[in-house]
Amino acid sequence: MEQIYIGDINIIIKINRKLLNFVKKYDVIDADNLVACEYILAKKDVILIKINDFYFIDIDSIKNFNELNNIQHYIEENIESNLLLKEENNIYDPFIGQLFVSNVKQLTNKNEYRKILK
């Protein structure tokens, strides 16, 4: 059975640059830099596929085979793209408009799949 996840997609709408620079300069926290950002929920209960240890993809964002080639290119070249969604605890260089996932849960049985795919 393929590993499928469900989660929420959020979008960064504002960044406190002074706080961000302070957090980066003094390494105040051992977590991500979302503490310097304002964000809102963009999409709830999205079906996600985990690509590697760093990224998820919203399956709705894959429209054709060309999108898969783009995703592969972005990963290989380490290019920032909103097709590649990081988890909320991995946002270190935030930008306005950046999408990220939160509340990610792996679907573990066939009944969960059926509910989601209806």
Side-chain angles (χ1 to χ4, degrees):
M1 187 180 303
E2 301 235 353
Q3 291 187 349
I4 297 177
Y5 297 78
I6 188 167
D8 300 332
I9 297 178
N10 302 280
I11 184 169
I12 296 174
I13 58 170
K14 188 175 182 183
I15 299 173
N16 181 330
R17 294 286 176 199
K18 285 183 182 180
L19 179 57
L20 180 61
N21 290 336
F22 180 83
V23 169
K24 285 183 173 184
K25 183 176 180 180
Y26 296 105
D27 197 23
V28 176
I29 55 175
D30 290 333
D32 60 78
N33 293 327
L34 276 178
V35 67
C37 302
E38 286 185 37
Y39 52 90
I40 59 172
L41 180 67
K43 210 171 170 187
K44 188 163 180 57
D45 294 335
V46 177
I47 299 173
L48 304 164
I49 298 171
K50 191 167 189 174
I51 299 184
N52 56 26
D53 291 338
F54 304 106
Y55 301 113
F56 288 89
I57 297 177
D58 172 4
I59 63 166
D60 289 339
S61 69
I62 303 172
K63 305 291 185 218
N64 55 45
F65 186 74
N66 195 34
E67 292 293 336
L68 293 174
N69 287 335
N70 289 341
I71 290 167
Q72 180 179 356
H73 173 72
Y74 298 151
I75 292 170
E76 289 171 356
E77 300 296 324
N78 200 24
I79 298 171
E80 288 285 336
S81 169
N82 274 337
L83 288 174
L84 301 173
L85 304 170
K86 294 179 183 177
E87 282 190 88
E88 63 187 327
N89 58 351
N90 286 318
I91 307 298
Y92 296 100
D93 293 314
F95 56 90
I96 293 176
Q98 182 176 7
L99 301 175
F100 64 92
V101 293
S102 62
N103 302 319
V104 176
K105 296 171 257 177
Q106 184 176 357
L107 301 180
T108 57
N109 64 50
K110 291 180 183 179
N111 289 334
E112 290 177 325
Y113 285 119
R114 288 186 188 115
K115 288 179 190 175
I116 297 301
L117 297 175
K118 282 186 180 181

